[in-house]
Every structure is written in C-alpha cells, then in structure tokens.
Amino acid sequence: MAAATPSPPPSSSYGYAISLGSCVAGIPVKLHYSYFLLLLLEFASSLMNYRTGNESYPMYILLIVVLYGPILLLTILVHEFGHALTTKRLGGTVDGIVLWPLGGFALCGPVADDDNALVGDLKVALMGPTTHLPMSLFWWATYAVTRGEDRGLWPTNMIYLNVLSTPAGFFEILSAQALYMNIILFCFNLLIPAYPLDGGRVYAALLLLVFKLKSIAAARVTAITAMFISTGMIVCAIITWFVGTYAGGLYLGLVGVFVFYESHELWAAAKRDGLGNHSIFGRKCYQDRVAGNNDSETHVPAQNDDAVMT
C-alpha cells in the first residue's frame, strides 16, 4: 500500500516528469516517470501470489492496474491538494505538486509569517490525511450500491477471484479495496509519528507547541521515533514477504527504508547543528518559536526560501 507523503526525489529530477496541467487553483501537477515502478512492483507481487492458470487471474491484473494506477493517482492528488490549498489559504505559496512512487509531495513555501505560523504549518500537515475521510465515504457508498445481496454493508479486505469474474463483482471488489486504501493512508499518514510522513510533521509541531522543546531537541526526538518505527516497518515487510500474508509487504519495506533514510538525515542535521537548511525545522516559524532568547541553544539561520512540504 502506498504512502502519500514522503519527501521528494532530488529537485534535479523534476524534469523527469509528465505535466498533467494546472486545472485547480492554477497549481501545476506533474507525474514523475518513476511512478510507473509502483505498477511493476504490484504486478510482480501478484505473480508471486496467484497462479496464471486461474481463469479469473486476468481480472485480478485489471484490478491491480486500475487500483494502483488511476485510483491511487487520484487519491494521492486529492491528498496533496489538501496540503496545497490550505497553504494558499493561509498565505503561503505553492509552486506545484509532483507524484512519484512513494506517494506525492507539494512544493510549498511557509505559511504567512506571523505568531500563528507554526499552528498554520500544523494545519497544512493535517489537511492532507483529512481528505481521505470524504474519499472513504465515497468508496463505501459505491461498495454499498454494487455489493452482492449476500454481503454485508461493510466490505471485507479479501479479494475473491470468483467475485471478480462479473462486472458488478469487479466494481464491488474495486470499491472495497479503494475504501481500505484510503483508510490505511489516513491512519498511516496521520497516526504514525514517523518523519517525513504527515504524522511525523504533526508530531514535530506538537513537540514544539505542547511540550515546548527547542528545535534541536525536537528534531532529535522526531528522528529517533521515526527510525524506530521505520525499522519495525522493514522487519514487518521482510516477515510478510516470506510468509505471504500481506501483498503490500514489498512496498511497506521500501517506504520503511526511505523513512529511515530521511529520519537519519534529520538526526545528522540536528547533531551537527545544521537545521538551518532543513525543509521543515529550518523554517522561521520553527526557529522563532523554539529558540527564543535562550543562549544555551545555538540559533540556526531560519530558512526563508520555498521549502518542500511533504
């Protein structure tokens, strides 16, 4: 299952993307070429779990292509527009949205620079996962309309190949899987405090706002928490890869590796007092709120340029 908000690939690779236009609020959207690797990974996973001799297998492949193609793409896009439109509403700038294999990211500048800027940044982080609630409702309603008479109002997460063999059954399974996709993305991004996921952004902001930690201390706590969680994700992916109990185990492992890398980079930046160039902790609202006039902590230069908001 894809996560929607890890940090982006290097800015030098933005050129390796397909422009999808800018039909919403003038915000340009690009699809990174590497996004199609996700479909390849899911197809490889399907080969490991199903026999090609099964007559319903082609419908399963179609399900995977539709689910991890246009549906996931649209889901991530709505998620990122939640971040981007909230940023614009709070006085920030948005340079664009890029979709890539590990989800998507919005190129956003900090919100309006005032006393509530850190609260505004927290709101921006929350609005991405929040978009999954109405999307979940939509897919549940779609399932309720297309479900078979012998199935309950709440779908199972299992994919039954015999049900896929009919058009109505295909849309029933598709809507059920899309529903679970949105629920997982909501929980994964909001409830898991692992930087650079949205939950990690919320976690970092709360460390500053509620627990009044200074910038370096908050960065270290955020990084350690994320490294611990990402290690668990990698171990879980390895186990499920061999046991075969979770089809998204490979993707979970890739996300875990990426989260560990990003959190380790945050830890290294905090260790060398190099948060001034960090896309999140280098923002002026983070530095002003936590550094104050306390000489016991070195105040790193605040970042005023547009930052990458994941």
Side-chain angles (χ1 to χ4, degrees), residues 139-163:
W139 287 115
W140 174 81
T142 303
Y143 164 79
V145 172
T146 59
R147 67 188 175 93
E149 294 180 357
D150 58 338
R151 257 101 53 192
L153 279 176
W154 188 258
T156 176
N157 193 31
M158 298 295 294
I159 298 177
Y160 296 103
L161 294 180
N162 61 322
V163 178

Side-chain angles (χ1 to χ4, degrees), residues 22 84 100 176 199 210 220 227 298:
S22 54
W100 71 307
V210 178
R220 288 173 176 171
M227 285 190 286
T298 302

Side-chain angles (χ1 to χ4, degrees), residues 29-306:
V29 178
K30 292 185 176 182
L31 177 64
H32 200 270
Y33 290 137
S34 59
Y35 179 86
F36 299 101
L37 291 174
L38 175 58
L39 283 176
L40 181 61
L41 287 174
E42 292 298 333
F43 178 74
S45 177
S46 69
L47 289 178
M48 296 180 60
N49 289 282
Y50 294 92
R51 296 181 179 179
T52 55
N54 191 303
E55 62 181 8
S56 298
Y57 184 73
M59 295 301 293
Y60 176 78
I61 293 298
L62 179 61
L63 175 72
I64 292 298
V65 171
V66 174
L67 184 65
Y68 289 95
I71 289 182
L72 179 59
L73 192 68
L74 182 61
T75 300
I76 296 174
L77 187 59
V78 173
H79 177 114
E80 295 307 323
F81 270 119
H83 291 310
L85 294 178
T86 303
T87 298
K88 295 192 72 170
R89 183 171 61 85
L90 295 177
T93 59
V94 181
D95 292 334
I97 293 174
V98 181
L99 308 175
W100 71 307
L102 296 184
F105 60 95
L107 297 172
C108 299
V111 299
D113 187 18
D114 55 30
D115 293 337
N116 295 318
L118 185 54
V119 176
D121 204 61
L122 176 60
K123 292 178 180 178
V124 171
L126 287 171
M127 281 308 297
T130 301
T131 61
H132 293 291
L133 297 179
M135 286 191 285
S136 295
L137 180 61
F138 169 80
W139 287 115
W140 174 81
T142 303
Y143 164 79
V145 172
T146 59
R147 67 188 175 93
E149 294 180 357
D150 58 338
R151 257 101 53 192
L153 279 176
W154 188 258
T156 176
N157 193 31
M158 298 295 294
I159 298 177
Y160 296 103
L161 294 180
N162 61 322
V163 178
L164 281 174
S165 60
T166 65
F170 178 85
F171 284 103
E172 175 187 336
I173 297 295
L174 179 65
S175 58
Q177 290 299 307
L179 169 61
Y180 277 100
M181 172 188 287
N182 276 277
I183 293 174
I184 291 174
L185 288 176
F186 171 80
C187 296
F188 193 78
N189 281 284
L190 184 60
L191 303 182
I192 298 181
Y195 176 84
L197 302 178
D198 291 329
R201 292 281 308 280
V202 173
Y203 180 61
L206 292 179
L207 288 175
L208 306 178
L209 290 169
V210 178
F211 296 97
K212 308 299 181 183
L213 294 186
K214 295 181 174 65
S215 59
I216 293 180
R220 288 173 176 171
V221 172
T222 300
I224 291 174
T225 303
M227 285 190 286
F228 178 79
I229 293 174
S230 60
T231 300
M233 292 166 62
I234 295 171
V235 172
C236 180
I238 293 174
I239 294 175
T240 55
W241 172 265
F242 290 104
V243 176
T245 57
Y246 174 50
L250 176 61
Y251 198 77
L252 178 66
L254 291 176
V255 174
V257 170
F258 190 83
V259 169
F260 187 90
Y261 172 80
E262 288 292 318
S263 56
H264 184 269
E265 288 292 298
L266 175 59
W267 168 264
K271 188 175 181 179
R272 66 174 181 268
D273 290 343
L275 294 177
N277 293 323
H278 193 266
S279 60
I280 301 302
F281 283 92
R283 291 184 174 184
K284 190 174 186 297
C285 60
Y286 280 75
Q287 293 300 318
D288 286 351
R289 178 62 69 106
V290 298
N293 297 318
N294 192 337
D295 294 333
S296 63
E297 179 180 19
T298 302
H299 180 62
V300 297
Q303 184 184 70
N304 292 315
D305 296 332
D306 281 0

